[in-house]
Amino acid sequence: MSQQVNSNLAALRNFKVLTFDCYGTLIDWEKGILVALKEIGIVDEDNQRLLGRFANVEHVVQEEEPGLLYPQVLSRCADKLAETYNVKISDEMRSKFGASVQFWPPFPDTPEALQRLQKHFKLVILSNVNRDSFALSEKNMNAKFDLVCTAQDIGSYKPDLRNFHYVLEKVQQHFGAEKPQVLHVFQSLFHDAVPATAMGISTTHIDRRFGMEGGGATPTPSEPYTLNYYFK
C-alpha cells in the first residue's frame, strides 16, 4: 500500500531543514538490540523473528504507556520477550537492556554523511527516545544536531501525529522553516513514512534493510504512504 514518486535530486536544494529519525536510520539499532538481548539471555535461531517480536511488543508498550521514558519501554519489552522465550530475567538484566541504547552503533556512513549535509541544511532529530539516551548516541555519531525533539519532550511516540505537529512547530520557531521546506528522512515506513505522508511532509526513505524480508524491528505498515526520495 505504497506509492513511490520519482523526484529530481536537484530539488533537494528547495529544502531548508532535514528532520531525521535516528534509530534504524542513523544508528544500527537492530544490531544493537540483538546484541543487548543476547546479553540478557534472550535469543532466537532466527534473528528476524526475534526482531519482529520486539517490534510488536515495543509498539504495544509505547501505545499503551506513551509517558514512559524509552529505557522503561525497553525494560517492559525485555519482560514481554522473556515471557515469550520462557527466560527468567532479573531486575538488573531488565535495567541493562533498558540502558543499552548508548551501545547501539552508528551505521558506518552516518558521521560523514551528517557532516556533509550540515553544510547545506539545518539538521533536526525526531526520535522515539529520551534526551539522555539520544545525547549518548549523538556523541557516538560525532555529530551535533541543530535541534533535538524526543518522545520525552512530546509525551508520545511515533507514529502519533503529535510528534510531527511538534517538530513542524519547532522548526518554524527556530529556523523560520515552513512545511514545504522540511524533508523527513527515515528507515521505518511504519513510524515515519505513514504519519509524515498524512501530515503532507516530504519524505526520504533510507532503506537500511534493502534485500531483507519483513520489517525487522519495526511493524509492517497497513496504511498508505508516499516516498518522495529513496536511497539504499
Side-chain angles (χ1 to χ4, degrees), residues 104-122:
W104 298 355
F107 287 102
D109 60 359
T110 291
E112 182 182 353
L114 291 175
Q115 290 170 15
R116 285 191 286 107
L117 290 170
Q118 200 149 35
K119 296 176 182 178
H120 306 284
F121 306 97
K122 295 295 185 182

Side-chain angles (χ1 to χ4, degrees), residues 208-221:
R208 296 294 194 180
R209 289 185 52 80
F210 178 74
M212 293 186 279
E213 294 185 3
T218 63
T220 300

Side-chain angles (χ1 to χ4, degrees), residues 53 57 79-87:
R53 288 174 172 170
V57 297
D79 282 336
K80 292 179 180 293
L81 290 171
E83 183 177 351
T84 297
Y85 286 94
N86 195 27
V87 173

Side-chain angles (χ1 to χ4, degrees), residues 2-5 7 9 12 18-21 23-26 30 183-194 196-197 201-212 214-216 218-219 221 225-232:
S2 65
Q3 176 187 0
Q4 185 167 314
V5 178
S7 299
L9 291 179
L12 286 172
L18 303 183
T19 57
F20 281 88
D21 168 64
Y23 300 93
T25 305
L26 304 174
E30 292 187 350
L183 180 65
H184 189 51
V185 185
F186 54 84
Q187 153 64 27
S188 174
L189 302 176
F190 178 84
H191 294 103
D192 294 277
V194 170
T197 297
I201 302 170
S202 296
T203 59
T204 293
H205 184 209
I206 308 299
D207 191 358
R208 296 294 194 180
R209 289 185 52 80
F210 178 74
M212 293 186 279
T218 63
Y225 55 85
T226 296
L227 303 179
N228 299 112
Y229 299 90
Y230 174 84
F231 299 95
K232 62 186 179 182

Side-chain angles (χ1 to χ4, degrees), residues 16-190:
K16 183 176 181 179
V17 176
L18 303 183
T19 57
F20 281 88
D21 168 64
C22 183
Y23 300 93
T25 305
L26 304 174
I27 295 287
D28 190 350
W29 79 322
E30 292 187 350
K31 181 177 181 179
I33 289 166
L34 290 171
V35 169
L37 286 173
K38 184 177 181 179
E39 289 177 349
I40 63 171
I42 299 176
V43 295
D44 192 312
E45 61 184 12
D46 184 341
N47 282 339
Q48 297 306 310
R49 179 169 56 201
L50 177 52
L51 289 171
R53 288 174 172 170
F54 170 85
N56 291 333
V57 297
E58 185 203 43
H59 176 57
V60 168
V61 172
Q62 291 175 336
E63 192 172 52
E64 292 181 348
E65 301 182 83
L68 291 180
L69 296 181
Y70 194 62
Q72 297 171 307
V73 169
L74 289 180
S75 293
R76 295 276 208 283
C77 290
D79 282 336
K80 292 179 180 293
L81 290 171
E83 183 177 351
T84 297
Y85 286 94
N86 195 27
V87 173
K88 292 185 178 180
I89 60 173
S90 64
D91 289 343
E92 181 181 356
M93 295 163 78
R94 291 172 70 254
S95 297
K96 182 178 182 179
F97 185 63
S100 66
V101 172
Q102 63 186 300
F103 302 112
W104 298 355
F107 287 102
D109 60 359
T110 291
E112 182 182 353
L114 291 175
Q115 290 170 15
R116 285 191 286 107
L117 290 170
Q118 200 149 35
K119 296 176 182 178
H120 306 284
F121 306 97
K122 295 295 185 182
L123 304 186
V124 176
I125 283 291
L126 178 62
S127 179
N128 274 356
V129 293
N130 57 307
R131 289 190 292 270
D132 288 347
S133 293
F134 177 74
L136 296 169
S137 295
E138 188 176 38
K139 290 181 181 179
N140 292 339
M141 291 185 282
N142 192 28
K144 186 63 179 176
F145 286 83
D146 298 293
L147 179 65
V148 175
C149 302
T150 70
Q152 180 181 6
D153 301 311
I154 303 164
S156 59
Y157 285 90
K158 296 180 297 181
D160 196 309
L161 294 184
R162 285 179 290 181
N163 296 60
F164 292 83
H165 283 290
Y166 182 94
V167 75
L168 287 177
E169 179 181 343
K170 291 298 181 182
V171 299
Q172 200 283 328
Q173 290 175 355
H174 285 262
F175 313 122
E178 302 297 336
K179 187 192 298 185
Q181 298 174 297
V182 177
L183 180 65
H184 189 51
V185 185
F186 54 84
Q187 153 64 27
S188 174
L189 302 176
F190 178 84

